[in-house]
Amino acid sequence: MRKYVIIDATEVSSINFDQVVETSVDTICYSVDGTQTFVKYEGDQPSFLSGKQEYTHSEILAILATDEWTTSDPS
């Protein structure tokens, strides 16, 4: 089962891309204000995410639908 973890943008340099679905810094999405991102993985939580809150697919979809993550601005 795929799991998701939200991290601060300042933590992007700590991502071990061998342990997550994303392949590089170019494949991650950021919150509208650019202060947060998230990674997804399968299996055990990677050690660089130790202690971070895990979310299910339905939970992360609900979070990503909020104004913090989605803008209604068509530009």
Side-chain angles (χ1 to χ4, degrees), residues 32-44:
V32 172
D33 66 5
T35 62
Q36 294 184 307
T37 187
F38 66 95
V39 292
K40 49 190 169 287
Y41 56 92
E42 295 180 6
D44 294 332

Side-chain angles (χ1 to χ4, degrees), residues 32-71:
V32 172
D33 66 5
T35 62
Q36 294 184 307
T37 187
F38 66 95
V39 292
K40 49 190 169 287
Y41 56 92
E42 295 180 6
D44 294 332
Q45 188 177 60
S47 59
F48 72 90
L49 296 172
S50 182
K52 302 261 186 214
Q53 172 70 46
E54 291 181 333
Y55 298 97
T56 64
H57 186 250
S58 59
E59 290 171 332
I60 200 71
L61 286 179
I63 292 167
L64 297 179
T66 65
D67 290 342
E68 282 186 73
W69 291 90
T70 304
T71 179

Side-chain angles (χ1 to χ4, degrees), residues 6-13 15 17 24-38 64 67-71:
I6 295 172
I7 62 172
D8 289 335
T10 58
E11 298 176 85
V12 168
S13 62
I15 297 173
F17 288 101
S24 73
V25 295
D26 298 324
T27 61
I28 56 178
C29 299
Y30 289 90
S31 58
V32 172
D33 66 5
T35 62
Q36 294 184 307
T37 187
F38 66 95
L64 297 179
D67 290 342
E68 282 186 73
W69 291 90
T70 304
T71 179

